[in-house]
Amino acid sequence: MSTALPTSYGLHVYPLARAWKMGASKWTVDQRIQFANDIDRNLMAVDGSTNGKKSDKGLDEWMPPNAAYGCEYAARYLTVARDYALSVTTGDLHSASLACGLDPATTKEK
């Protein structure tokens, strides 16, 4: 039996590759570094399996396995997008609405 603690990985709530496609490609190097290392908003400690399953997926493709955390996670994703002026897809908004128990038909991009 191992006494080692499980390894934690930094899961980017708003993935780096998606951020690049949604606006980060126009950022300075310093802005990209800040985003990639933002432990207050965009980084979460998770196990390697969860990190691998999420990969570079947004809300439209991946939600946390614990559905009870889905709304909080979606809100965090959308907050990161807002704070960094990154685009979100209609699918992201739809998934966030469902996770928070809202009618997706009433959720619109602004």
Side-chain angles (χ1 to χ4, degrees), residues 2 11 17 21-22 26 29 34 39 44 46 55 57-58 69 71 80 88 94 97 102 104:
S2 172
L11 178 143
K21 294 174 193 170
M22 298 296 206
K26 297 175 185 151
V29 171
Q34 178 185 348
I39 60 172
M44 299 175 63
V46 298
S55 185
K57 298 176 179 115
Y69 181 65
C71 185
V80 170
V88 295
H94 181 83
S97 295
L102 303 172

Side-chain angles (χ1 to χ4, degrees), residues 55-98:
S55 185
D56 289 330
K57 298 176 179 115
L59 296 179
D60 57 343
E61 299 176 300
W62 186 89
M63 291 293 286
N66 178 356
Y69 181 65
C71 185
E72 185 177 338
Y73 178 83
R76 189 168 175 174
Y77 179 97
L78 296 174
T79 298
V80 170
R82 180 201 64 210
D83 290 353
Y84 284 94
L86 295 166
S87 297
V88 295
T89 67
T90 302
D92 290 335
L93 294 175
H94 181 83
S95 295
S97 295
L98 291 175

